[in-house]
Amino acid sequence: MSVAARPLFAFDNTFVRELPGLYVPWQGAEVEQPALVVVNGPLATELGLDLERLQTPEGVAALAGSVAPDGAEPVAQAYAGHQFGGYSPRLGDGRALLLGEVLDARGMRQDIHLKGSGKTPFARGGDGKAAIGPMLREFAISEAVHALGIPTARALAVVATNEAVRRETLLPGAVLTRVAESHLRVGTFEYAAATGDVELLRRLADYAIARHYPEAAHAADPYLDFYARVVAAQAELVAQWMLVGFVHGVMNTDNVAISGQTIDYGPCAFMDRYDPQTVFSSIDTGGRYAYGNQPTVAQWNLARLGDALVPLVGGDQQAAAAALTEVLRGFAVRYRESFTAGMAAKLGLPAAADGADDLVGELLVLLEAERPDFTSFFRALAASLRGDSAHVHELIPDTARFETWATAWHATLAESGVAPADAASAMDRVNPLYIPRNHLVEAALTAATSGDLGPFREMLAALEDPYRERPGFEAWAAPAPEDAGPYRTFCGT
Ligand code: AMP
Ligand code: MG
């Protein structure tokens, strides 16, 4: 077979084959002059793609959504969702398409998905388009979250459309190609349940089990076991967000992936100073999705998944609902364990260290009172174990208060048999030095929108290796300047 005859993507589209009723076949909008802005070489390799060919006009047209590549069966996926607590029965991909699925180098099935590829039947009032700033933002932040070791959808490419998109002003348009273990959402289950077609709901659940939680198929009640696994995956995910100060910003049920990956990067951002009330999204006026609310909201979202699964779970409706509710109780336990273990690691302690719970609890009280820059605080703590306490004292000016806590911390380390130098090294492996600093992200996107990709590329370089100190990236480790003002993010729709 000649190289040209080989398809760009080796698609094998199980979602389209197995779940009619949950999508509409659709084509991307015509883009006359697509131009590649950024492509993720390492991810392309993981996906078994030909990176050079992706950058040819044929590849770029595919990434723009203009021309469906061989084997693609583009569809707009249907889903419902609770948005800010209110139910919308029909959301769906208004400006996105699932092109198809490929198996990556590890044999893991991955969705190849376009965002900004034009209006679909789910577009409601929207124009189906995306502006380049928000697409580059999703590219950079999702790759940063991946580099932090947190489950997430990833970004393969951003293509400029060379068309203007009308927002508050006219902005350059773009299409993002994202890659995820699937785009099955809590909202997909809500949609299937609302059709009243229990067989459709069952097909969806069986599909999700086979794709994400195959062990559940062997359980006494596979659907209940599936639910327990989704609950556990979300508890783990949100704990990891909390440990790095990530604020998703729009935790509607349509933005919660069944796989346990982070998806739908909109108004997300990383917390600067520690404050559980931290909200960045301009539309989250009630603070529903504030940093400190994320575990509670995740649990609420999972309750909506439980509601959708009632018809599948054994026993009558009441018994099924009770069994699902019982499983959901496991969320708080799993979250707490995962968060506490993660915080212990951030302090250089084994998860099971005696007193770790109390130490973490007291630290959170201290952080809430003193509000240091959350990210640099933990690196400063490690430095203090190496004898350099200047930075931690700068971050926590109430030295006496800090020392009271630190004395207990040092004692716990000693009781756990961890030498200070070893604790410091272990801490630096789990506490990021570089995070997407809001003021720098904004500056990089502003420059990129006007054609200068230099700062954007520097941002990618800083964030791809967040734990290892490297010269030239100091700004990414530093808190926002005092005069930066409160940071606001927009959904970019
Ligand atoms: P999001 O807030 O990005 O999760 O999107 C919520 C819903 O709005 C989804 O159904 C999206 O497909 C849809 N949507 C967002 N922006 C647009 C747009 N510009 N055109 C059409 N649909 C959109
Ligand atoms: Mg969404």
Side-chain angles (χ1 to χ4, degrees):
M1 197 162 63
S2 77
V3 170
R6 214 183 322 139
L8 198 54
F9 297 92
F11 283 123
D12 172 42
N13 306 326
T14 60
F15 178 85
V16 165
R17 272 205 303 275
E18 297 177 29
L19 294 171
L22 293 180
Y23 61 82
V24 179
W26 202 253
Q27 275 297 314
E30 179 79 32
V31 179
E32 276 172 25
Q33 293 180 297
L36 190 63
V37 179
V38 55
V39 63
N40 189 336
L43 179 58
T45 305
E46 278 177 45
L47 292 170
L49 306 177
D50 179 341
L51 179 59
E52 256 171 58
R53 197 161 152 213
L54 264 189
Q55 303 180 60
T56 63
E58 175 207 13
V60 175
L63 297 173
S66 270
V67 180
D70 281 352
E73 296 171 270
V75 298
Q77 291 177 301
Y79 48 86
H82 278 83
Q83 300 180 301
F84 290 91
Y87 183 61
S88 296
R90 193 181 138 101
L91 292 169
D93 290 333
R95 56 164 171 174
L97 291 175
L98 171 63
L99 275 188
E101 302 149 29
V102 299
L103 295 180
D104 70 14
R106 295 169 303 149
M108 182 69 106
R109 183 171 296 278
Q110 302 284 358
D111 279 4
I112 307 292
H113 188 98
L114 303 178
K115 187 164 171 180
S117 49
K119 242 189 247 189
T120 77
F122 299 105
R124 294 169 290 154
D127 63 0
K129 306 283 182 175
I132 194 164
M135 295 306 99
L136 289 176
R137 195 161 193 287
E138 174 154 352
F139 190 108
I141 311 274
S142 64
E143 285 302 305
V145 169
H146 171 73
L148 287 166
I150 300 175
T152 179
R154 297 192 59 190
L156 179 62
V158 173
V159 168
T161 59
N162 289 308
E163 292 167 1
V165 176
R166 184 172 293 283
R167 296 292 180 259
E168 264 121 63
T169 56
L170 287 179
L171 294 168
V175 178
L176 168 76
T177 305
R178 58 181 184 177
V179 175
E181 286 173 11
S182 85
H183 286 78
L184 303 179
R185 307 150 188 269
V186 168
T188 317
F189 281 81
E190 292 180 286
Y191 181 91
T195 62
D197 177 350
V198 178
E199 285 324 302
L200 176 63
L201 179 63
R202 191 182 309 280
R203 264 193 293 132
L204 170 61
D206 289 343
Y207 178 86
I209 288 172
R211 190 158 172 185
H212 299 300
Y213 305 101
E215 310 82 2
H218 310 297
D221 188 328
Y223 304 113
L224 199 58
D225 192 70
F226 162 67
Y227 186 53
R229 290 173 193 274
V230 178
V231 166
Q234 283 295 322
E236 296 283 337
L237 177 65
V238 175
Q240 295 200 55
W241 290 354
M242 298 299 284
L243 291 167
V244 296
F246 177 76
V247 183
H248 181 284
V250 60
M251 290 174 70
N252 295 331
T253 57
D254 52 302
N255 295 337
V256 178
I258 294 300
S259 65
Q261 288 187 312
T262 311
I263 57 160
D264 277 6
Y265 288 76
C268 60
F270 283 72
M271 178 168 66
D272 293 301
R273 287 166 169 278
Y274 182 82
D275 178 359
Q277 316 283 333
T278 300
V279 172
F280 296 108
S281 171
S282 57
I283 59 169
D284 190 5
T285 47
R288 180 181 173 91
Y289 300 139
Y291 170 77
N293 284 354
Q294 295 186 120
T296 312
V297 168
Q299 191 176 348
W300 190 91
N301 288 339
L302 290 163
R304 305 290 74 75
L305 177 61
D307 295 345
L309 292 175
V310 166
L312 300 183
V313 169
D316 62 19
Q317 205 173 337
Q318 219 179 349
L324 287 157
T325 304
E326 188 51 38
V327 167
L328 184 57
R329 267 192 244 287
F331 177 90
V333 178
R334 184 66 175 253
Y335 171 76
R336 183 77 9 231
E337 274 172 13
S338 179
F339 178 75
T340 305
M343 281 300 278
K346 286 173 83 69
L347 299 175
L349 287 164
D354 264 350
D357 268 19
D358 289 346
L359 201 61
V360 168
E362 282 153 26
L363 176 62
L364 295 178
V365 173
L366 176 74
L367 292 178
E368 198 164 347
E370 300 289 321
R371 309 202 165 189
D373 179 69
F374 183 68
T375 303
S376 39
F377 173 74
F378 291 95
R379 298 291 288 213
L381 271 188
S384 77
L385 288 182
R386 300 188 181 102
D388 173 9
S389 295
H391 193 194
V392 83
H393 287 153
E394 222 174 274
L395 290 166
I396 312 260
D398 188 342
T399 309
R401 186 161 189 180
F402 172 73
E403 290 303 337
T404 306
W405 177 82
T407 304
W409 174 43
H410 295 154
T412 310
L413 281 171
E415 282 156 24
S416 310
V418 187
D422 295 339
S425 309
M427 289 169 72
D428 283 353
R429 285 194 294 272
V430 297
N431 293 314
L433 179 59
Y434 309 122
I435 57 157
R437 291 285 177 186
N438 296 321
H439 59 296
L440 298 178
V441 172
E442 224 39 52
L445 296 180
T446 304
T449 302
S450 56
D452 173 12
L453 283 168
F456 180 77
R457 296 201 179 283
E458 185 194 295
M459 164 160 77
L460 296 183
L463 301 178
E464 74 180 9
D465 193 359
Y467 299 102
R468 196 167 55 86
E469 188 163 8
R470 288 162 294 151
F473 296 119
E474 291 75 12
W476 295 92
E482 288 295 335
D483 61 1
Y487 185 60
R488 280 276 153 270
T489 55
F490 303 89
C491 278
T493 52

